[in-house]
């Protein structure tokens, strides 16, 4: 069974439990089992480490500010082929390019406010789960 990291971003958490519940229902219906979950205010240093691969990108500061702007829901999940399956379920990074019915199509507002994050590959999943869940 493969594990992956899933994160519901601040604008969705700020919008209330209904959207969080709707997103969790989608991943549950897709066969993911939640093995860890917490709502937390992310520390700036942790976010800079988490998104370290983007640190030279022009949007890095804005990205870190945004992720620290309010609590996120951090989730550890497992399923067969979990990493690729979750990436498919959430859709493209930019909600405008996300396939119809994907989580970012349904809940994303913009490239920076794209509702959720999911690990891009198995190495990232191990690294991100280690950072967030220890
Ligand atoms: P996420 O999957 O969490 O990984 C990095 C995030 O950077 C991405 O979602 C976007 O929300 C955010 N981002 C902001 N601007 C850009 C951009 N120009 N290209 C890619 N990602 C961006």
């Amino acid at each position: 069974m493969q594990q992956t990291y899933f994160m519901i971003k601040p604008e969705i958490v700020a919008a209330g439990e209904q959207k969080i519940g709707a997103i969790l229902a989608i991943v549950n219906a897709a066969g993911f089992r939640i093995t860890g979950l917490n709502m937390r205010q992310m520390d700036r240093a942790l976010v800079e480490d988490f998104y370290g691969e983007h640190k030279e990108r022009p949007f890095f500061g804005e990205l870190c500010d945004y992720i620290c702007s309010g609590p996120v829901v951090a989730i550890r999940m497992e399923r067969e082929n979990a990493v690729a399956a979750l990436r498919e379920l959430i859709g493209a990074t930019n909600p405008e390019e996300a396939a119809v019915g994907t989580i970012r199509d349904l809940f994303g507002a913009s490239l920076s406010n794209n509702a959720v994050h999911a690990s891009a590959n198995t190495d990232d999943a191990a690294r991100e789960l280690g950072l967030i869940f220890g």
Side-chain angles (χ1 to χ4, degrees), residues 57-132:
R57 310 282 291 274
F59 59 84
F60 182 66
E62 190 188 323
L63 170 62
C64 294
D65 288 345
Y66 164 60
I67 298 295
C68 294
S69 68
V72 302
V73 177
I75 306 159
R76 185 179 59 214
M77 302 195 306
E78 66 176 25
R79 206 199 89 157
E80 268 182 40
N81 197 29
V83 172
L86 186 61
R87 292 286 286 194
E88 189 172 340
L89 194 63
I90 71 170
T93 304
N94 187 343
E96 285 178 17
E97 294 163 9
V100 174
T102 58
I103 292 174
R104 284 171 169 159
D105 169 55
L106 295 170
F107 296 94
S110 65
L111 183 53
S112 49
N113 287 30
N114 62 355
V116 294
H117 167 87
S119 306
N121 53 59
T122 52
D123 286 349
D124 277 358
R127 187 183 66 83
E128 293 173 2
L129 288 170
L131 279 173
I132 304 297

